[in-house]
Amino acid sequence: MAKSVGAQKRIALVEFAPSGGLFQFSVQLGEAVARTGAKVEVITGPKPELSSREAGCRVRAILPTWHPTAGADAPEWWRKARRGVRAGQHALAWLVLLAELKRTRPDVVIWSAWRFPIDAWGVRAVRKALPNAVLGLIAHEPRAVVEQPGQEGMYKTSGTGALSKAYADLDVAYVLGDSAKKVLTEAWPLKAGVHVIPHGDEGIFASTPIRGAADTGQVALSFGTITSYKGTDTLCAAWPAVRAEVPDARLVIAGALSADMDEAQLRSEASGLEGVTLTTGYIAVADVPSYFDSARCVVLPYKRSSQSGVAHLAYTLRRPVVASRVGDIPSVVHDGESGILVPPDDPAALAVALIRLLTDPQLAETMGEAGAAGLAQAASWDEVAGRFLAGLPAARLP
């Protein structure tokens, strides 16, 4: 990519959580944008799991936030009490961020998620402090999702009125697919242009070579945060049919447990299934390749999804994907080419797809290689950066 594309632009990518998929996306995007000549700062919380590999991109750990899975194994009473403490931390993080942005005065400020009513106040404060800056959002989730137990449905309904004011202040918004664009524009009072950009690969996880899919055992991998919308219950319901056809098949479920999941119930369900290994807890970047090294395929039985970084991770590591046909997943998982798509909440169809890949190692390898080739062709980080920069409204830029 030509150096002049982003020359002279000063861009702040704000990521409150210093680990996890959104943070990893921001760092990789920041590195790619820096390669165009822009000066990029990823502003985040303490002890970030990644540092930048590009001289023009700097990760700054200045916000008093926390890692998303910190204390996930704490007793429920402590987690409830801690919510008040974290609310205070989040408010303080906005004050620190506002002071930093007023000091550095970037041309562009981009967030990737707003979750609380106070976020609307923060965005409005940034708008007043930086009236000439471009304010933008990469809407990985176009609607606020339920994250706590005891709440009905998949999407939040409370607090969204306040957040509407933040969306109205945007100069630009990005989404990772056409389906997400439709949801975003219907859900929020946007005045800004909305641009579709690719997700990008997950090259940060490719530092350790792993086997080809054809050289693995009959292992399916469910990877990433374990939360209700990702369909672990559908996968568990499908697994007995898989084992009936493939007696040596194994299923590995690995990832941090979301607050909306009942760990005791999940462990009980997994322990009652043959060939299932459940590993809960955040998987460090350095440990990720080992999980994919033994897997023949990756399974994403989502009930809903705007996009999936795990699908991109699977293709980066040359693994085929079995996924639900929801949201923008079909734009990444090409049915019959780089994976197999099934209806959501359909254990029988999911089992058939898994059996097909687990019993055909050459097909698994062919599909995994097709997924990797597709990423290289249409979703490199340089491609993402180019489309990101092209979406910035020129009227507000120097």
Side-chain angles (χ1 to χ4, degrees):
M1 182 180 296
K3 278 281 187 181
S4 60
V5 174
Q8 308 306 313
K9 292 184 178 69
R10 293 169 296 125
I11 300 175
L13 303 178
V14 181
E15 198 57 64
F16 290 102
S19 61
L22 299 188
F23 173 73
Q24 294 158 8
F25 182 99
S26 290
V27 172
Q28 293 178 98
L29 173 62
E31 291 175 334
V33 171
R35 288 195 289 272
T36 72
K39 297 296 183 184
V40 182
E41 288 194 339
V42 180
I43 301 175
T44 191
K47 299 181 180 178
E49 66 176 344
L50 295 175
S51 57
S52 174
R53 300 162 294 182
E54 292 287 338
C57 176
R58 182 168 60 150
V59 177
R60 300 198 60 215
I62 63 172
L63 303 180
T65 55
W66 57 92
H67 289 257
T69 59
D73 56 351
E76 178 60 23
W77 67 268
W78 169 242
R79 280 186 279 169
K80 289 181 178 179
R82 186 181 59 195
R83 289 174 195 165
V85 175
R86 287 187 168 178
Q89 286 179 272
H90 191 66
L92 180 58
W94 270 108
L95 293 175
V96 173
L97 175 63
L98 182 60
E100 178 65 12
L101 294 178
K102 289 176 69 175
R103 183 184 71 82
T104 58
R105 308 196 72 81
D107 303 310
V108 181
V109 183
I110 303 289
W111 291 267
S112 64
W114 297 324
R115 300 166 57 200
F116 310 110
I118 195 174
D119 295 337
W121 169 87
V123 174
R124 303 223 79 186
V126 173
R127 166 56 75 211
K128 290 180 180 180
L130 303 176
N132 297 318
V134 171
L135 303 189
L137 175 74
I138 300 175
H140 293 261
E141 283 291 350
R143 295 175 62 188
V145 298
V146 167
E147 300 174 283
Q148 300 296 335
Q151 297 177 318
E152 296 296 325
M154 293 186 185
Y155 299 100
K156 290 181 180 179
T157 55
S158 62
T160 56
L163 282 175
S164 293
K165 297 177 181 178
Y167 282 89
D169 271 331
L170 288 174
D171 298 304
V172 64
Y174 301 92
V175 291
L176 303 180
D178 291 323
S179 174
K181 180 178 180 178
K182 183 175 186 295
V183 173
L184 185 73
T185 54
E186 291 176 350
W188 304 103
L190 286 170
K191 302 171 186 175
V194 181
H195 304 274
V196 177
I197 61 174
H199 182 285
D201 61 44
E202 294 288 3
I204 57 170
F205 297 103
S207 57
T208 302
I210 66 172
R211 287 176 286 179
D215 298 324
T216 66
Q218 295 172 315
V219 179
L221 173 64
S222 173
F223 187 84
T225 303
I226 304 169
T227 187
S228 59
Y229 79 82
K230 291 190 175 180
T232 307
D233 56 341
T234 305
L235 178 56
C236 289
W239 192 247
V242 176
R243 285 281 294 195
E245 291 292 325
V246 191
D248 293 330
R250 291 191 295 121
L251 170 64
V252 176
I253 303 173
L257 203 65
S258 175
D260 68 348
M261 294 293 292
D262 185 323
E263 183 173 6
Q265 179 180 340
L266 178 61
R267 289 195 176 280
S268 175
E269 189 170 14
S271 65
L273 297 171
E274 295 291 331
V276 175
T277 300
L278 172 64
T279 301
T280 60
Y282 186 71
I283 310 298
V285 170
D287 297 331
V288 169
S290 64
Y291 284 86
F292 286 78
D293 180 62
S294 60
R296 180 166 295 173
C297 64
V298 174
V299 54
L300 307 175
Y302 294 173
K303 299 176 184 294
R304 61 113 186 122
S305 181
S306 55
Q307 196 45 271
S308 172
V310 178
H312 291 77
L313 173 57
Y315 290 150
T316 300
L317 300 178
R318 292 175 162 75
R319 292 297 184 265
V321 176
V322 174
S324 302
R325 192 186 296 272
V326 293
D328 286 306
I329 294 293
S331 68
V332 176
V333 180
H334 297 151
D335 192 28
E337 297 178 13
S338 60
I340 302 174
L341 293 174
V342 299
D345 284 318
D346 190 335
L350 183 62
V352 169
L354 286 171
I355 291 167
R356 184 181 175 194
L357 286 177
L358 292 176
T359 56
D360 192 336
Q362 192 54 56
L363 176 64
E365 178 141 335
T366 298
M367 286 186 168
E369 293 294 335
L375 281 188
Q377 181 178 6
S380 71
W381 282 106
D382 286 341
E383 173 70 17
V384 178
R387 291 169 67 170
F388 168 82
L389 290 168
L392 295 176
R396 283 187 172 270
L397 292 173

